[in-house]
Amino acid sequence: MKSEQIRWSEGSGWSLYDTAEGPNRNLVLVFFDHPQCHDPEWFEELKSFYPNAIIAGVSSSGSVLDTVISDHDAVATALTLERSGVRCVSHKVSDYADAEMLGAALGEALLDEGLRHVLILSDGLSINGSELARGFSRVLPEGITITGGLAGDGTRFGTTYVIAGAGAQTGIVAAVGFYGETLRAKSGCYAGWDEFGPERVITRSEANVLYTIDNQPALELYKRYLGEFASDLPSSGLRFPMSVRKNIDATPVIRTLLAVDETSQSMTFAGDVPQGYLCRLLKTNMDSLIEHAGMAAESSKLEEDSPFLVIAVSCVGRRLVLGQLCEEELEIIRETLGEQAVITGFYSYGELSEKGENRCTLHNQTMTLVSIYE
């Protein structure tokens, strides 16, 4: 695997790239946060550098290049996969009755001999990420790893974009398949939030809307735990996500609060909160968040002595909570994985990864990594 990483800014354009190697690149991953990146001419300029490459990516809430997070620009990682193949497929969200059907269709389109890993790059606002993950998990056999994330839009939550072989589009989901007998992919997904309060039962919910916990109004109970932070809802909810699990033997997933409804005393989360599941509130622990980013890196470690790709998808909520400490997440990843790791990625509205006994699942407030080596 050969690679180069370049950055675009409004004032300077793209940084220098290797013109001799450009035609040999077969995959470019690009993450961006600037209105000009939505312009077809912007995409065509990038395509001119790498005319034979599949170009795929999403808008971000922070773009990752090595151990640096940046906003209002774009970062691209161009790869020459020497012993592996790559394909990209995409579909419109509006063409399917639900996101599970969409995920299944994309998974089936990629399923072929030699498929080793699937990277999902999804619209961040018009999709049920839990259903999308179920669709991929249903059709892709065990042994094919699945990771990815939902596009971001900074902290604006306005419009998100996906690039899949053409200029940036809204309302689509793309999937990149990695193929090859020698290709290896290993993932890790960890959070680092502290639990507090007793574990309770979700007694009434619909998809990602939670109405009652232990037969009490969900919002009323949530506010009771938040105390002084309750007046700043829903934004303060980023500091107090919720863990959800099917039973006491299951691995929890984290859900981030998106909205509250005072009239119905309900709470809307970024992923499903199924009725009958167990739930518990979580609170911030800065040191633990960074430590668990290192645990995700350890879980995805390949112990290789030649370059390999590392795609990091972390949650916008973690970035807001960590503030100026956020790049320490990336520094501990670099320290753990070593200098051969080519690190890229983005801060997202939801992370997609396997964890515990679960196949691909929507997560919130995690650091999700995948290392890909050929």
Side-chain angles (χ1 to χ4, degrees), residues 314-334:
S314 190
C315 183
V316 60
R318 291 172 72 91
R319 188 175 183 200
L320 292 175
V321 168
L322 285 169
Q324 294 181 343
L325 298 177
C326 200
E327 287 184 350
E328 292 190 20
E329 283 201 307
L330 304 179
E331 290 166 2
I332 197 170
I333 291 168
R334 165 63 70 204

Side-chain angles (χ1 to χ4, degrees), residues 116-118 120 133 136-137 140-148 185-190 251-253 296 299 351-363 366-370:
R116 294 291 179 265
H117 181 72
V118 172
I120 304 169
F136 278 95
S137 297
L140 294 177
E142 295 280 349
I144 299 173
T145 51
I146 312 166
T147 61
K186 191 176 181 185
S187 63
C189 177
Y190 282 85
T251 302
V253 296
S299 182
E351 306 83 64
L352 298 163
S353 179
E354 302 166 355
K355 185 172 176 63
E357 74 281 2
N358 298 317
R359 295 263 359 240
C360 182
T361 305
L362 175 72
H363 302 271
T366 65
M367 168 59 80
T368 292
L369 296 171
V370 63

Side-chain angles (χ1 to χ4, degrees), residues 223-293:
K223 285 182 174 181
R224 196 183 310 160
Y225 277 99
L226 263 60
E228 63 184 271
F229 292 100
S231 61
D232 295 326
L233 284 171
S235 61
S236 61
L238 289 169
R239 297 180 178 273
F240 300 93
M242 181 178 289
S243 73
V244 177
R245 60 177 174 166
K246 187 174 184 179
N247 53 52
I248 59 173
D249 297 318
T251 302
V253 296
I254 298 178
R255 294 289 177 253
T256 294
L257 182 68
L258 295 181
V260 299
D261 188 323
E262 296 286 352
T263 302
S264 64
Q265 287 291 290
S266 67
M267 305 159 62
T268 300
F269 289 86
D272 285 353
V273 284
Q275 192 164 301
Y277 274 42
L278 303 175
C279 65
R280 176 175 281 167
L281 290 184
L282 306 173
K283 62 182 179 180
T284 304
N285 182 328
M286 304 287 235
D287 291 339
S288 182
L289 292 181
I290 296 168
E291 178 185 349
H292 278 67

